């Protein structure tokens, strides 16, 4: 009887471990390909992403390199926008200012490249195409912002062409619409998806152990009755 109870406890623990984990990779647009980047201190840069199913986004990762030691302004303005054909739409689905974690990610030529990670309030999205927009520092009218110089040049790193080349840039939210920008940007989105989680080998092994113990308990009961 003790073996049966132990097996049931094991199966209960396995059930708890089978809950889908958070921070899954929801979308991957690619890592830096070493071919360049687009300036994001004057421009609000954007690139599209397509979800194949319902998902909740809770964190963003992107890569950028800077020309001067003070190019990064200490924060990142971000938006997630709807899709209007081949450019961002006017519906802002989420926006904010973040203080990302920066991790050195090698060099682009003689310039330091970083990986930036920041969390956002969980944003539930249905399947479809959207845009991620990023800007170095607070978003201000261009005449109030920095003068383009070595101390302000921070570039969102490019990624290899993945067949969705609809990158775009906005001169200023106060001065005009989106202009076509070639190439892809390096970024990834994390959160939760509706896809089921495949059990890990360790969990499968524990399940097999639990079922074996249940079988041994039943065999002992039958032996005692005989």
């Amino acid at each position: 009887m003790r073996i049966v109870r132990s097996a049931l406890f094991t199966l209960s623990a396995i059930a708890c471990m089978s809950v889908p984990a958070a921070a899954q990779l929801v979308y991957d647009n690619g890592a830096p390909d070493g071919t360049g980047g687009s300036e994001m201190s004057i421009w609000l840069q954007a690139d599209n992403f397509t979800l194949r199913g319902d998902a909740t986004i809770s964190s963003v990762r992107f890569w950028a390199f800077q020309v001067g030691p003070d190019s990064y302004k200490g924060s990142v303005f971000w938006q997630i926008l709807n899709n209007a054909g081949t450019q961002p739409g006017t519906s802002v689905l989420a926006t904010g200012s973040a203080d990302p974690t920066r991790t050195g990610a090698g060099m682009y030529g003689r310039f330091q490249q970083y990986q930036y990670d920041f969390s956002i309030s969980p944003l539930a999205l249905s399947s479809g195409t959207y845009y991620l927009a990023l800007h170095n520092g607070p978003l201000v009218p261009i005449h109030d912002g920095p003068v383009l110089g070595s101390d302000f040049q921070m570039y969102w790193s490019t990624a290899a062409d993945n067949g969705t080349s609809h990158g775009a840039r906005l001169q200023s939210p106060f001065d005009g619409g989106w202009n076509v920008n070639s190439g892809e940007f390096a970024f990834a989105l994390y959160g939760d998806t509706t896809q089921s989680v495949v059990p890990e080998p360790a969990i499968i092994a524990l399940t097999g152990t639990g079922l074996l113990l249940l079988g041994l308990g039943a065999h002992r009961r039958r032996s005692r009755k005989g």
Side-chain angles (χ1 to χ4, degrees), residues 12-131:
S12 176
I14 292 170
C16 293
M17 294 171 66
S18 300
V19 176
Q24 302 173 26
L25 177 63
V26 172
Y27 179 83
D28 185 4
N29 207 55
D33 64 355
T35 63
S38 290
E39 210 288 317
M40 56 186 296
S41 298
I42 296 295
W43 308 102
L44 176 64
Q45 299 284 352
D47 199 0
N48 66 340
F49 62 94
T50 298
L51 302 177
R52 304 300 180 187
D54 295 346
T56 298
I57 298 172
S58 57
S59 62
V60 176
R61 170 174 292 173
F62 73 97
W63 288 265
F65 61 88
Q66 56 190 66
V67 173
D70 300 321
S71 295
Y72 174 52
K73 308 318 295 179
S75 66
V76 170
F77 174 84
W78 63 271
Q79 288 182 326
I80 293 180
L81 305 152
N82 71 316
N83 174 45
T86 59
Q87 67 178 15
T90 57
S91 296
V92 179
L93 306 178
T95 187
S97 180
D99 181 10
T101 298
R102 292 206 306 166
T103 305
M107 306 290 288
Y108 171 69
R110 59 187 179 87
F111 305 128
Q112 178 65 54
Q113 188 165 238
Y114 292 92
Q115 173 185 299
Y116 292 79
D117 292 277
F118 62 91
S119 299
I120 67 173
S121 296
L123 174 65
L125 297 173
S126 58
S127 59
T129 299
Y130 305 89
Y131 275 83

Side-chain angles (χ1 to χ4, degrees), residues 37-47 77-79 81 88 131-136 139 154-156 167-171 178-182 185:
S38 290
E39 210 288 317
M40 56 186 296
S41 298
I42 296 295
W43 308 102
L44 176 64
Q45 299 284 352
D47 199 0
F77 174 84
W78 63 271
Q79 288 182 326
L81 305 152
Y131 275 83
L132 170 68
L134 297 174
H135 178 77
N136 176 30
L139 191 66
M154 176 172 162
Y155 293 79
W156 190 353
R169 64 181 182 182
L170 179 64
Q171 180 177 5
W178 292 94
N179 300 306
V180 174
N181 191 9
S182 62
F185 292 134

Side-chain angles (χ1 to χ4, degrees), residues 115-207:
Q115 173 185 299
Y116 292 79
D117 292 277
F118 62 91
S119 299
I120 67 173
S121 296
L123 174 65
L125 297 173
S126 58
S127 59
T129 299
Y130 305 89
Y131 275 83
L132 170 68
L134 297 174
H135 178 77
N136 176 30
L139 191 66
V140 295
I142 195 167
H143 54 270
D144 294 334
V147 176
L148 191 60
S150 61
D151 289 341
F152 294 98
Q153 293 189 57
M154 176 172 162
Y155 293 79
W156 190 353
S157 302
T158 55
D161 184 10
N162 56 26
T164 60
S165 297
H166 297 315
R169 64 181 182 182
L170 179 64
Q171 180 177 5
S172 162
F174 309 93
D175 294 339
W178 292 94
N179 300 306
V180 174
N181 191 9
S182 62
E184 294 289 332
F185 292 134
F187 72 96
L189 306 174
Y190 294 84
D192 295 316
T193 70
T194 55
Q195 298 177 355
S196 59
V197 177
V198 178
E200 295 183 0
I203 295 178
I204 295 174
L206 284 173
T207 304

